[in-house]
Amino acid sequence: MQYMLLIYDDESRFAGMTQDALKKMYDDYGTFTQELIASGVMEGGSELSPISTATTVRVRNGKVQTTEGPLAETKEQLGGYYIINVDNLDDAIKWAAKVPSADGGSIEVRPLRLYQPQ
């Protein structure tokens, strides 16, 4: 079954990091990603650009409205994701606990519902 690991963290935390701490975080992500690949469960993933680059789109009464920035103001921002294929939720949770941002941020685990045209 496919699960998406949605990585939430406070972007302002990274702005205050030293270059060494930032490098270690990216190294930790590289190690984690290689572990996912080596295990055969990784199907995709990506870091997202900062929240300041987001545009939110809504359609109201047939008119498209755009707003610069995220959908909602929150303490933690969606910063990236992994798509994994594992047997069950328990396995997905085990992988989510290994995501470097789980220590200080949060990882949302969501099953994917694959679109199947009829």
Side-chain angles (χ1 to χ4, degrees):
M1 179 165 202
Q2 286 185 315
Y3 290 88
M4 183 174 275
L5 308 180
L6 299 155
I7 304 163
Y8 290 91
D9 214 328
D10 183 350
E11 284 184 0
S12 66
R13 182 168 81 112
F14 303 111
M17 283 185 169
T18 65
Q19 287 298 324
D20 288 342
L22 202 54
K23 181 183 181 319
K24 181 183 180 329
M25 182 192 68
Y26 276 103
D27 288 348
D28 290 348
Y29 266 101
T31 299
F32 175 70
T33 301
Q34 289 306 311
E35 186 180 354
L36 283 173
I37 292 168
S39 73
V41 302
M42 183 164 167
E43 297 203 348
S46 183
E47 177 181 8
L48 300 177
S49 295
I51 199 73
S52 61
T53 66
T55 301
T56 300
V57 178
R58 294 176 176 89
V59 177
R60 300 294 184 265
N61 298 321
K63 294 185 181 185
V64 176
Q65 301 172 350
T66 61
T67 306
E68 290 183 18
L71 176 65
E73 293 293 323
T74 62
K75 278 186 154 183
E76 295 178 333
Q77 294 79 39
L78 178 61
Y81 66 93
Y82 288 98
I83 297 174
I84 61 173
N85 195 332
V86 294
D87 291 334
N88 54 52
L89 178 59
D90 289 337
D91 289 344
I93 290 170
K94 287 176 187 172
W95 282 108
K98 293 182 178 186
V99 175
S101 286
D103 184 14
S106 58
I107 312 303
E108 181 179 346
V109 178
R110 302 261 306 262
L112 296 181
R113 294 166 63 176
L114 298 179
Y115 173 72
Q116 297 182 4
Q118 298 183 14

